[in-house]
Amino acid sequence: MFPNVYNPDSPRALFSKNAELREQASMKLMTALDAPRVERVKRAFEERNDSVCLNDFLFIMQENLPSQLYADSGKKELFTNLVDMFKEVDINGDGSMEWEEFTRFMVEKAALYKESQNVERIPNYFHNKQLESCGFRHRGSIDCLTVLPRYKQFACAENGSPIISLYSAKAGNLVTTMQCKAVPLSMCYVEPLQALIASCSDTTMVRFNVGESHHKVRYKQRSVWSTPDTQMTMCWQPTHNLLYSGSVGGRVHSWNVETQEQKSCLEGHTDIVMQVLSIDSLDSIVSGSLDRTINIWDSYTEQQTTKLLGHTKGVNSLAFNSTHRFLISSGFDHDCFVWSPFGSTLLHKLRGHRAALVGCHTVEGTSELLTADTSGIFKLWDLRNFQCLQTFTSDHEPGDLDDLSGTLSCFSHAKFHNPVASLGITGEKIDDYRIIAASKKIVFFDQERVRQDPVTDGPIRVACFNKQSLTIFTASERNVKIWDAVLGSIKSSFKNITSSDITAACLDDRERKFILGQASGTVTVYNYQNGTIMKQFTPQGETPVVKLIYCQKTKAVITCYIDGLIRVYDENDIESCTIVRTFDEAYMHLGDVTSLAYLSSASLVASGGNLPSDGIRLWDFDSGKCETIIKTDGYEILSLLFLDEYPLLIASTSDSMIRIFGIPPFIPTNEIKGGLNNHHLFVEFVNELPDDCLICNETNEALYPYIFKSNEVVTNDEDDMLKSKSNDKGKGKKGDGETTNEVAEEDDDDELLQMNWSPSEIERYKDAKLFLKREMDMKENNGKGKKKKKGKKNNNDNDDDGG
């Protein structure tokens, strides 16, 4: 039933786990080499003329590494890590390693590891003991706590008491109390209604007014309604204006708070639902239960989409980080789980607690996560690298009122807006963050932040995917960042790596180096692991580099400059990159070159620019001669791309068109002599959405072109027919016994048959049009609900008048 249930042995999970283990093993190998061992390794290198092969390197390391490493990881795993280390050091792939390279690698690896642990300093939390005098000790432990952000207040209820206490989250003093007929088990603040909802032990829900209403009704009970079971948790879903709750029977209910009516009941758990969470941006409801499972529900269809398995004990808390789109869960086991809400993938386990977890909370607008356990220990985590930044508890003497050991029952997080923060003044305090922890007494932990100078890399100029390391390379302005493609976190960041702005980049064939072209015309090769300069290209001037393309077969780099100069450099040399050939300068573009493409199977290079009369020029890679020119009168070339499997060239142009051209050998050589004319333009189409297409609100993409003609190219004639058909929809004349829709459908069938569409394609098109109509009707009903009601009322008045 659930094909995507989490599998700890899935490729994604295994890669994440193995990558972390390899990184730890690499650091362990380097730290195991103390000064005497390093000296012995150096002598072994010198005996082999300061250069060793892979077998020699393995033998040397085996002789000098401590035996404890073999016992910890095993001989096979140890040798695998050593082979990986050798490949990292051997950037050029020549199969040899020098002593200088080895020592430089160890120093740079240690520096990178230290830098990765401190991506951006996050302030620590401290126990605010100044609010102790305002604290009130409850007779029983506080079992539930919720924050009212708008009023900077929080509500809490203690075990066995029908009283709800409302405190000031800023000052810590008691504001008022509200009384239920039974013990509150959970609470939820509903911002649009300015209401506090409490679910009680007598299977009822109670609504209190907490907004800016008259003092006679403020903090008073407004309504009470019964529920099928005792509700243990609640959350508000703003899109549908529904209150979701989880019951002791394992069901998830949704309620209309205004009418106190149950709207739906979702069944998927076999034990008590301890937490429900609304992810508004994904239109999802998440529920965690004591049956050790987490269910994700679609809030529109109310169908279960995913079941997450992995907890060994019951789940009691859920949180969502919108920055990284991580779903976090905690329970009575000691680990905190980080999931992807788009599938059933467990991304990471946050380990470190030694007691059952009380809960987890994400910090709004940051990459921070807070967890706490029953022993009173809190941990602050950075979700960018899954590192624990701080472990803390209250400042106390054993047994005093602030001692949370064994008594911590719940906690929450509050954010206080500072008006000065909006001014953006460097060095001024910005929004403050506070942890509100509860046992029999309320304890506060504060985190004070100071605004720093804004640090931004600007728009990304180039991005490349590294298939070997599963990382993403991005370059912007003068900075380079390398991202983990699995986890989405930053692995390396090289700031101000160039002397001028980066304008082009590419990776080498082994994806161990990256090559950067700059606005100053400089081209430099860097180490992918540590960002150090390896070598430079022979300079040609100060003209900006437009494009860099690496040729795997010849280990050469095609370099294109904005003035039209195209050169091929030999990258195989260890120390420098020399010019192999320069393309025929007699046929250089007169205007600025904007794009370059390379087809290795045909040894062809295509170039295009901003001067329409230059056309698209096809060059022979081996000789550098211009083979032909494709005329492009009236438009500029913005981008070029070869289809590797087909002899076709795609061009995006300044007139908002996409054009596909035929190239040799698709076009015989005798037909392209003297220039390739427009009759070799196979197809062109407007790069815009059709007028009557169905738009997906989430991605802003057209849907129906992929539904009704998924395997064919829509020609201009077909596109015009579709547009005219859409404009004429509903204009058919009524005949005897015929409606307007029937006439329109018959006209549709005639037009589609004239286009030689198959019956299955016609049916797919009709389904798409019907889906479009339903989507538009739904959108109109949702957006104009009030106007619709008013219209119905007016229609009824007209009927009464006989109209």
Side-chain angles (χ1 to χ4, degrees):
M1 181 178 178
F2 302 102
N4 293 326
V5 171
Y6 163 66
N7 178 12
D9 296 327
S10 65
R12 183 187 180 101
L14 288 176
F15 172 81
S16 177
K17 180 180 179 181
N18 292 335
E20 181 181 2
L21 292 176
R22 283 195 301 269
E23 190 71 21
Q24 294 175 356
S26 179
M27 290 302 302
K28 188 181 293 186
L29 286 173
M30 290 186 290
T31 55
L33 292 173
D34 52 17
R37 287 190 171 88
V38 170
E39 188 63 30
R40 292 198 296 268
V41 172
K42 181 179 180 180
R43 287 198 299 268
F45 269 77
E46 292 174 349
E47 294 173 357
R48 293 166 174 80
N49 297 324
D50 201 29
S51 178
V52 298
C53 63
L54 176 59
N55 292 333
D56 291 338
F57 177 72
L58 295 177
F59 176 78
I60 294 171
M61 298 303 291
Q62 182 183 9
E63 292 293 323
N64 293 280
L65 285 175
S67 58
Q68 182 62 31
L69 287 179
Y70 294 90
D72 293 341
S73 57
K75 189 172 183 179
K76 181 179 179 181
E77 183 68 23
L78 180 64
F79 273 81
T80 301
N81 293 327
L82 289 172
V83 171
D84 291 339
M85 180 186 292
F86 185 89
K87 291 180 178 180
E88 286 189 44
V89 179
D90 183 24
I91 299 296
N92 293 314
D94 56 1
S96 64
M97 178 197 298
E98 298 179 357
W99 172 251
E100 183 181 353
E101 292 177 334
F102 180 60
T103 53
R104 189 192 314 123
F105 168 80
M106 289 195 297
V107 173
E108 292 169 348
K109 188 78 171 179
L112 284 174
Y113 183 79
K114 184 177 181 181
E115 182 181 351
S116 66
Q117 305 306 305
N118 299 283
V119 178
E120 180 182 344
R121 185 182 177 276
I122 296 176
N124 290 337
Y125 283 85
F126 62 92
H127 183 190
N128 189 343
K129 305 193 74 173
Q130 296 179 357
L131 300 178
E132 282 187 350
S133 59
C134 302
F136 172 76
R137 184 175 174 86
H138 293 257
R139 294 182 179 180
S141 64
I142 298 174
D143 286 347
C144 60
L145 188 152
T146 187
V147 177
L148 287 64
R150 179 174 180 177
Y151 309 107
K152 298 181 181 179
Q153 297 173 343
F154 67 91
C156 61
E158 65 179 85
N159 184 21
S161 173
I163 304 298
I164 297 176
S165 302
L166 196 64
Y167 286 88
S168 168
K170 190 73 174 177
N173 60 291
L174 180 65
V175 176
T176 187
T177 59
M178 298 174 288
Q179 186 164 357
C180 304
K181 292 184 178 180
V183 177
L185 301 177
S186 67
M187 294 179 291
C188 177
Y189 171 65
V190 181
E191 170 66 29
L193 305 179
Q194 297 186 27
L196 180 68
I197 313 295
S199 63
C200 302
S201 58
D202 61 350
T203 68
T204 61
M205 284 188 176
V206 185
R207 175 181 174 180
F208 292 94
N209 293 321
V210 294
E212 299 173 352
S213 55
H214 193 273
H215 66 89
K216 290 185 177 181
V217 296
R218 192 179 185 186
Y219 305 130
K220 301 298 182 181
Q221 181 177 307
R222 176 168 177 171
S223 59
V224 181
W225 68 94
S226 299
T227 59
D229 292 319
T230 304
Q231 307 300 310
M232 299 298 296
T233 177
M234 295 180 292
C235 73
W236 176 253
Q237 215 291 333
T239 304
H240 307 290
N241 292 325
L242 293 176
L243 178 72
Y244 282 85
S245 63
S247 69
V248 295
R251 291 177 289 274
V252 177
H253 305 267
S254 64
W255 307 88
N256 186 320
V257 177
E258 294 287 359
T259 62
Q260 296 92 48
E261 293 179 351
Q262 178 178 314
K263 306 300 291 184
S264 64
C265 180
L266 312 177
E267 298 186 0
H269 292 289
T270 59
D271 208 335
I272 300 174
V273 177
M274 298 296 293
Q275 178 80 57
V276 289
L277 174 70
S278 173
I279 306 179
D280 305 333
S281 59
L282 303 181
D283 295 321
S284 298
I285 300 295
V286 187
S287 57
S289 170
L290 290 182
D291 63 4
R292 302 175 295 176
T293 65
I294 300 170
N295 289 340
I296 301 179
W297 314 80
D298 189 304
S299 63
Y300 280 93
T301 64
E302 297 181 340
Q303 298 295 317
Q304 183 177 333
T305 58
T306 308
K307 180 184 284 289
L308 305 179
L309 302 176
H311 280 276
T312 57
K313 296 182 181 180
V315 180
N316 61 14
S317 184
L318 298 168
F320 180 71
N321 181 277
S322 58
T323 303
H324 303 283
R325 293 192 171 187
F326 289 158
L327 175 64
I328 299 100
S329 63
S330 66
F332 296 102
D333 36 15
H334 301 173
D335 299 334
C336 193
F337 288 53
V338 182
W339 309 83
S340 168
F342 303 102
S344 56
T345 304
L346 177 62
L347 300 179
H348 202 81
K349 282 186 181 182
L350 304 178
R351 295 183 170 92
H353 286 281
R354 299 184 178 181
L357 294 182
V358 171
C360 58
H361 286 276
T362 55
V363 180
E364 176 188 352
T366 70
S367 300
E368 301 170 33
L369 172 70
L370 292 163
T371 58
D373 59 38
T374 54
S375 66
I377 299 298
F378 290 83
K379 286 184 178 293
L380 173 64
W381 306 85
D382 188 346
L383 291 177
R384 292 170 296 184
N385 50 26
F386 304 117
Q387 299 296 318
C388 180
L389 304 179
Q390 182 188 9
T391 301
F392 58 98
T393 187
S394 58
D395 297 335
H396 65 274
E397 297 295 333
D400 67 10
L401 295 179
D402 290 334
D403 189 358
L404 297 176
S405 302
T407 62
L408 180 63
S409 54
C410 61
F411 78 100
S412 188
H413 189 272
K415 175 182 177 180
F416 304 115
H417 176 65
N418 181 15
V420 182
S422 60
L423 301 178
I425 302 175
T426 301
E428 290 290 336
K429 283 180 55 178
I430 59 174
D431 298 338
D432 290 334
Y433 296 82
R434 173 170 292 174
I435 298 174
I436 306 169
S439 56
K440 289 185 178 181
K441 182 185 175 184
I442 300 171
V443 180
F444 301 93
F445 298 89
D446 287 352
Q447 181 190 41
E448 187 176 281
R449 295 166 176 257
V450 177
R451 181 177 297 278
Q452 305 294 335
D453 289 325
V455 179
T456 176
D457 294 338
I460 295 177
R461 181 64 180 86
V462 187
C464 304
F465 178 65
N466 191 320
K467 295 180 289 185
Q468 299 296 325
S469 59
L470 289 185
T471 55
I472 299 174
F473 165 92
T474 60
S476 59
E477 294 184 352
R478 303 184 184 188
N479 309 313
V480 167
K481 288 185 178 180
I482 297 176
W483 307 76
D484 190 314
V486 177
L487 302 177
S489 57
I490 297 178
K491 297 194 66 175
S492 304
S493 179
F494 312 121
K495 296 182 178 180
N496 296 320
I497 197 172
T498 58
S499 57
S500 60
D501 285 353
I502 300 171
T503 55
C506 69
L507 304 181
D508 72 320
D509 58 332
R510 300 174 67 240
E511 297 182 338
R512 299 293 181 87
K513 296 174 283 189
F514 61 86
I515 306 170
L516 300 181
Q518 304 179 39
S520 61
T522 305
V523 182
T524 312
V525 183
Y526 297 83
N527 187 318
Y528 195 87
Q529 286 290 333
N530 50 44
T532 56
I533 297 178
M534 299 183 64
K535 52 189 174 182
Q536 285 190 338
F537 285 29
T538 303
Q540 65 88 28
E542 298 182 356
T543 307
V545 180
V546 174
K547 187 74 174 179
L548 294 172
I549 300 177
Y550 197 95
C551 309
Q552 297 186 5
K553 292 182 179 180
T554 59
K555 291 187 180 294
V557 180
I558 305 175
T559 307
C560 179
Y561 299 88
I562 196 171
D563 60 357
L565 183 65
I566 303 175
R567 284 179 171 174
V568 179
Y569 288 83
D570 180 16
E571 201 276 322
N572 201 26
D573 190 83
I574 298 177
E575 297 181 355
S576 62
C577 297
T578 56
I579 300 175
V580 176
R581 72 183 69 90
T582 300
F583 284 18
D584 194 347
E585 298 185 19
Y587 287 89
M588 285 175 50
H589 288 263
L590 300 179
D592 294 343
V593 177
T594 56
S595 184
L596 193 77
Y598 172 61
L599 183 62
S600 60
S601 59
S603 294
L604 276 180
V605 176
S607 61
N610 64 355
L611 191 62
S613 59
D614 282 346
I616 300 174
R617 312 206 168 197
L618 299 181
W619 310 78
D620 181 74
F621 172 76
D622 297 323
S623 64
K625 300 295 183 182
C626 182
E627 295 286 339
T628 187
I629 300 176
I630 302 176
K631 294 182 179 179
T632 58
D633 295 336
Y635 53 85
E636 304 173 11
I637 301 299
L638 303 180
S639 180
L640 295 172
L641 176 68
F642 281 110
L643 293 182
D644 293 340
E645 298 181 0
Y646 309 97
L648 298 173
L649 175 65
I650 302 178
S652 64
T653 56
S654 59
D655 57 350
S656 301
M657 298 288 289
I658 301 293
R659 293 176 168 86
I660 302 179
F661 299 92
I663 59 172
F666 195 90
I667 302 300
T669 306
N670 58 359
E671 291 190 21
I672 64 174
K673 289 182 178 179
L676 188 62
N677 294 318
N678 281 335
H679 64 272
H680 295 299
L681 172 65
F682 285 165
V683 66
E684 60 180 357
F685 50 90
V686 180
N687 186 24
E688 64 180 8
L689 300 178
D691 296 334
D692 58 347
C693 72
L694 177 63
I695 304 297
C696 176
N697 293 330
E698 293 295 330
T699 62
N700 197 31
E701 295 178 350
L703 296 181
Y704 91 72
Y706 306 101
I707 298 176
F708 71 89
K709 293 289 278 184
S710 58
N711 297 321
E712 298 181 15
V713 177
V714 181
T715 63
N716 292 334
D717 294 337
E718 294 172 343
D719 188 64
D720 293 337
M721 184 174 292
L722 291 175
K723 292 181 179 179
S724 63
K725 185 173 64 60
S726 175
N727 296 330
D728 296 338
K729 182 180 179 182
K731 294 183 180 179
K733 297 180 180 180
K734 292 185 180 180
D736 296 337
E738 292 182 333
T739 64
T740 304
N741 291 335
E742 291 173 350
V743 174
E745 290 179 0
E746 290 180 1
D747 293 342
D748 289 350
D749 294 342
D750 294 339
E751 292 176 354
L752 298 177
L753 290 174
Q754 292 175 5
M755 294 167 62
N756 297 322
W757 281 17
S758 66
S760 61
E761 290 172 334
I762 295 176
E763 290 300 322
R764 287 202 302 271
Y765 177 78
K766 289 182 177 180
D767 292 341
K769 297 296 291 182
L770 179 60
F771 183 57
L772 171 63
K773 183 178 182 301
R774 291 176 179 175
E775 184 76 10
M776 296 300 293
D777 292 343
M778 183 181 299
K779 184 176 181 181
E780 182 178 358
N781 293 336
N782 293 337
K784 302 179 180 180
K786 294 183 179 179
K787 293 183 179 180
K788 188 175 181 181
K789 290 181 180 179
K790 184 176 180 180
K792 287 184 178 181
K793 183 177 180 180
N794 294 336
N795 290 337
N796 292 335
D797 295 340
N798 294 334
D799 293 340
D800 294 339
D801 295 337

